[in-house]
Each structure stands twice: as C-alpha cells, then as structure tokens.
Amino acid sequence: MSLFDLRLQELHNKLHAKEITVSDLVDESYKRIAAVDGKVKAFLTLDEENARTSAKALDEQSGSLEKGLLYGLPIGIKDNIVTEGLRTTCASQFLSNYNPIYDATVVTKLKSAQTVTIGKLNMDEFAMGGSNENSGFHATHNPWNLDYVPGGSSGGSAAAVAAGEVYFSLGSDTGGSIRQPAAYCGIVGMKPTYGLVSRFGLVAFASSLDQIGPLTKNVEDSAYLLQAITGHDAMDSTSLNADIPDYVSALTGDVKGLRIAVPKEYLGQGIDPKVKDAVLTALKVLEGQGAIVEEVSLPHSEYAVATYYLLASSEASSNLARFDGVRYGVRSENPKNLLDLYIKSRSEGFGDEVKRRIMLGTYALSSGYYDAYYLKAQKVRTLIKQDFEQVFENYDVIIGPTAPTPAFRMGSQTDNPLTMYLNDILTIPVNLAGIPAISVPCGFADGLPIGLQIIGKALDESTVLRVAHAYEQQTDHNKQRPQL
C-alpha cells in the first residue's frame, strides 16, 4: 500500500509521531513517477534536487516547526502557475526556456503551509484545450486507460493525482479545466468562486474567467487545500476581500432539508445514457439522506459555449499579445526586421489551437465586429449569470453531470475543434457566472470514471463541499484506483 493511500489526518499523525519523514513522502512520489510516468506523461519538469533538499530541511527542523495538516506533503503544480527558478512553460514551445524570478501567490501560500513541490504538470498549451493533446511537448494519458485522454487543460494535474504520483495538485479552470479532467480521471476537482484565490502568477488565458483550484483524491483533502490557498491578495486587482470560513468544519455529512436543483438542460440531448444514469443514481443517494431534489431550467445554457469561446478567445488574443519574441520566451533567429521578428516568433512558438483562438478573438474585437460579437456575448453572459441567481433564490445547490460523456479515445476529436469545444458545455456556464463548483466521482462507464458536478452560490464553497462530502461518504467511487 502506498503512503498516498492514507488519509490526510493519518499521514499527519504519522509525521507528528515520527513514524515516517517528509523525505519518505518525497521518495514515495519520485519512485512512483519513475515507475509510471513513462506511460502517463503527467510531468513536464521535475524539481527533484530542490524537493529533496526541502524535505531534508523540514525533517531536521521538525521539532521546532508547527506542523499544519499539509506539512511535508508532495504537490504538483500546473505549468501555467509560475514558480521561482523552476521552469514554467505553459506547455508551449514559446516558453520552453522561461525560468520565473518570482512565485505565484498560491505557491507562496503552499510554501508557508510547508508542502513540497515535486514538479510542474503538463497541460494544453496556454490552457487552451479539453484533452491535453494540445501540449507543445507531449500528450498526457488517462491512468484508467492509456488509450484515452485525461481531459484538459489541467490533464497533467488530474492524471498525476489519479496515478498516485503526488498527494494532490493545483490546476486552473477557465471553462471547466479542473472539473472536466477530474471527472475523466476519477478524482475530486474544485473550481472556487472567481476572485477567492489569487491569480497573481497565473499566466493569463482569459482573465475574467481563470481561477486556480485544487485536485485531490477526496473532498476532505480538497477542503484543506482550498483553505490554504484562499485569501485576499493586493497583487491581484480581482482578488476578493471576503471572510474565509473554515471549510473543513462544513463537512458534517448532513444534507437533510437541503434543496437541490437539477437543470433539465443538463440531462437532455447529447448526454451519454450511462452518465445520465450515474447522475440520477447519485441524486437518489442524496434524496435518501433527506435532500429535496427538483427539476429546474437554465434557459440560456444553450448559448454558453458560443458566448464562452467569443469572450475567452477575445481575452486570449489580448493577453497573448505580450508574447512577441522581444521580452521573454523563445525568439526566432535571423529575422529581417522587427515585424518579421514578431511574425516568425509567434508562428514558430504557438501551436495550432492557440493560433486558432488568437485569430477568433482578434476578429471578434476588430472594428465593425466588436458590437456584433464581443459586446453581445457580454450581454448573454449576464443573462446566464441571472439564470443561476434566479435558481439560487429557491435552491441551495445545482447538480448535474460534469461532462456529457466519459473520457474519449486519444486522437478521436483532434480534427474536429467544435466537437472538442462541446465537451465543456456543462462546465462553461459556471465560469461565465463566476460561481463555485466541484466534480466528484459518481460511477464508471466501460471502465472509465464519471463525474458529478455540484454548483453553488458565489462564496458558498462550504455548502458545495458539504454536499460533495455527504455524497462521497455514502459511496466508494473515490476509493477506487487505476491499475497501472
């Protein structure tokens, strides 16, 4: 049995009693990576020398340290979250030589909690994709079936946790990029309220949608990790100055009388029958615990994908303008002039999906089209947000599938971007509204995991976690592990 199969409290007790050391945990992580990452390919960069040095320092100082629950635990960081002195590429050839000179706020917070960073995790290039096949280096494979995708863009973050390579990881979620890979890989993925977790040091894709969040083996771990990374940050102008509750204390297991809304649009056309059956079974479990389940409508959901890809691509075209071959990153050799430097550096550095979104976004923002596309999309975004607000006047949470299908076979959708985009149809509305949601395992279809999505009111992560934990306690889906 792996040390990583132990619950967080059990590991903490063993560390406190000196039955194991932080070095033991780091050894466990690198041994597992050596054994399975040649197949999974979750990591882009390992930080073994620094990780072992940090582990040794924590062990030597353990008597004088106040050990929080995250003390000494190995963590993986998605490669669009900057880490001082540790290569951060966003899985793009453009940043293949970029070594940041500062840490993202979430990384600083994790260091304060005395976690140990094992390395940087693979992703779709600049977080643009839903399968991890858009990485500029290599594709990550699903630990449950290596012929299938792990989801994206945080596919490496999800696969590493599912494969037991790290205890937990951080990802980023712009349109479902934490929750969808969590569903595909059979783990827990949390997207917090927009602004609850600082984005300082997160390489921007779409600034009004991006949010960092935890990927863990269970809901309790998600609550602990979320607690460690939340809080106001003066370095992020969108950071919320809100009171942070004790998320762990919300895990009471009690959902009696709680009102659950089930949007008919989330279980309609395009949802795999096995996914629908798993979600309906999960709802019966919650009903059996005393929750009230009723059908509702989110009428503007059908416009979410179009709205998202206009807004996200527009923001991406603006954010990625900084990558010009002049200031940092890879520079094209022997350009004829400055314009040629821009053109060649961007043409050589960016992959096809990134180029596609830059072109779409630039078009939507251009003179004569701004009002017709970008401005209209902003108005529809408001309607989608209002749909959620109206439902939350009468209900505590909204529940449905995380993704319309289980993971799909690698290469099966790479030639059809529209089909790939539609995989995010159930997660995108949450980002447009800026509200929290979590994905928890709720079953399997043909050996591949299925995710249940629980959506909550803004800043009500406590209720989302409470419902997820109550459901998890009645099932054993999260305890199953892929056999690699």
Side-chain angles (χ1 to χ4, degrees):
M1 181 172 127
S2 167
L3 286 171
F4 293 172
D5 289 329
L6 297 173
R7 289 179 59 250
L8 195 56
Q9 187 66 57
E10 293 172 324
L11 269 182
H12 178 73
N13 291 341
K14 284 183 175 292
L15 282 167
H16 201 72
K18 298 187 178 180
E19 295 175 19
I20 59 172
T21 64
V22 176
S23 294
D24 291 335
L25 294 174
V26 171
D27 281 341
E28 186 92 16
S29 186
Y30 284 116
K31 284 178 184 176
R32 182 64 174 170
I33 290 168
V36 304
D37 206 57
K39 303 174 186 176
V40 178
K41 298 183 182 298
F43 280 89
L44 286 176
T45 305
L46 293 175
D47 195 26
E48 186 166 358
E49 183 178 348
N50 286 328
R52 293 191 183 280
T53 299
S54 298
K56 185 179 179 182
L58 288 172
D59 288 333
E60 290 173 350
Q61 300 169 24
S62 61
S64 61
L65 287 174
E66 183 177 333
K67 300 186 186 77
L69 268 178
L70 303 188
Y71 165 79
L73 292 179
I75 186 166
I77 308 290
K78 187 176 178 179
D79 206 30
N80 61 345
I81 300 172
V82 301
T83 42
E84 183 180 2
L86 178 59
R87 192 177 72 138
T88 300
T89 70
C90 294
S92 176
Q93 289 294 332
F94 211 125
L95 290 176
S96 58
N97 63 354
Y98 178 52
N99 287 294
I101 59 172
Y102 67 100
D103 280 325
T105 296
V106 289
V107 174
T108 301
K109 285 177 174 284
L110 288 173
K111 286 181 176 179
S112 296
Q114 298 163 332
T115 63
V116 179
T117 299
I118 296 300
K120 304 302 286 292
L121 292 156
N122 198 17
M123 54 186 281
D124 286 296
E125 185 181 5
F126 283 102
M128 298 180 192
S131 68
N132 220 274
E133 294 169 291
N134 292 327
S135 170
F137 297 94
H138 57 251
T140 298
H141 299 256
N142 192 316
W144 290 92
N145 187 325
L146 296 172
D147 293 330
Y148 285 73
V149 302
S153 62
S154 306
S157 297
V161 174
E165 296 176 305
V166 289
Y167 197 80
F168 38 51
S169 66
L170 287 186
S172 67
D173 193 311
T174 307
S177 290
I178 288 173
R179 290 159 290 151
Q180 184 245 40
Y184 284 1
C185 291
I187 63 169
V188 175
M190 178 84 184
K191 181 261 168 199
T193 301
Y194 181 78
L196 185 67
V197 177
S198 172
R199 290 186 300 110
F200 179 72
L202 173 67
V203 179
F205 162 18
S207 302
S208 74
L209 299 162
D210 299 339
Q211 187 64 90
I212 296 170
L215 291 112
T216 60
K217 298 192 301 296
N218 57 59
V219 176
E220 184 181 44
D221 291 357
S222 186
Y224 279 117
L225 190 51
L226 181 65
Q227 196 83 51
I229 62 174
T230 54
H232 179 254
D233 179 17
M235 301 295 286
D236 174 7
S237 63
T238 61
S239 177
L240 296 173
N241 195 358
D243 292 333
I244 306 300
D246 181 355
Y247 296 121
V248 180
S249 67
L251 308 182
T252 62
D254 179 20
V255 292
K256 189 173 182 180
L258 187 126
R259 295 178 63 81
I260 297 172
V262 182
K264 60 183 181 181
E265 293 83 2
Y266 286 17
L267 291 172
Q269 187 176 1
I271 307 301
D272 185 302
K274 293 178 181 177
V275 171
K276 183 176 180 179
D277 289 345
V279 170
L280 292 175
T281 301
L283 289 166
K284 287 178 182 175
V285 169
L286 290 167
E287 274 189 311
Q289 293 176 273
I292 301 162
V293 177
E294 294 177 354
E295 185 181 86
V296 298
S297 178
L298 294 171
H300 295 98
S301 295
E302 63 179 301
Y303 307 115
V305 173
T307 300
Y308 169 83
Y309 279 99
L310 277 168
L311 295 177
S313 298
S314 296
E315 293 184 27
S317 74
S318 177
N319 280 324
L320 269 61
R322 71 192 70 175
F323 300 102
D324 53 15
V326 175
R327 287 166 281 195
Y328 46 78
V330 172
R331 176 181 295 188
S332 181
E333 295 181 5
N334 303 317
K336 298 174 186 175
N337 51 45
L338 185 60
L339 181 60
D340 196 43
L341 171 65
Y342 293 158
I343 293 171
K344 283 186 175 179
S345 295
R346 290 169 69 82
S347 296
E348 295 166 9
F350 291 140
D352 289 344
E353 182 61 30
V354 175
K355 291 174 184 174
R356 182 182 293 119
R357 299 201 194 191
I358 289 173
M359 288 188 287
L360 174 60
T362 303
Y363 178 80
L365 291 173
S366 62
S367 177
Y369 297 99
Y370 177 90
D371 289 349
Y373 295 110
Y374 182 77
L375 189 60
K376 184 166 285 187
Q378 289 284 30
K379 292 177 179 178
V380 177
R381 179 180 190 171
T382 301
L383 294 175
I384 291 169
K385 186 173 185 291
Q386 288 172 348
D387 282 349
F388 281 111
E389 290 170 350
Q390 288 170 11
V391 169
F392 283 131
E393 287 177 3
N394 299 306
Y395 296 91
D396 298 294
V397 293
I398 297 169
I399 291 183
T402 305
T405 67
F408 48 88
R409 191 173 289 273
M410 298 188 77
S412 64
Q413 296 186 12
T414 50
D415 295 331
N416 192 336
L418 183 57
T419 301
M420 187 81 79
Y421 294 169
L422 290 172
N423 287 311
D424 296 333
I425 194 167
L426 300 170
T427 52
I428 279 170
V430 171
N431 295 77
L432 292 170
I435 53 181
I438 196 169
S439 178
V440 294
C442 71
F444 293 84
D446 303 319
L448 293 166
I450 297 169
L452 180 75
Q453 181 174 214
I454 302 165
I455 305 167
K457 303 170 187 175
L459 293 174
D460 194 15
E461 277 77 6
S462 294
T463 301
V464 172
L465 288 163
R466 174 161 64 101
V467 176
H469 181 257
Y471 170 72
E472 186 181 77
Q473 297 308 297
Q474 300 299 315
T475 64
D476 63 355
H477 305 308
N478 72 298
K479 297 175 184 175
Q480 300 188 45
R481 299 283 180 265
Q483 301 300 311
L484 279 163

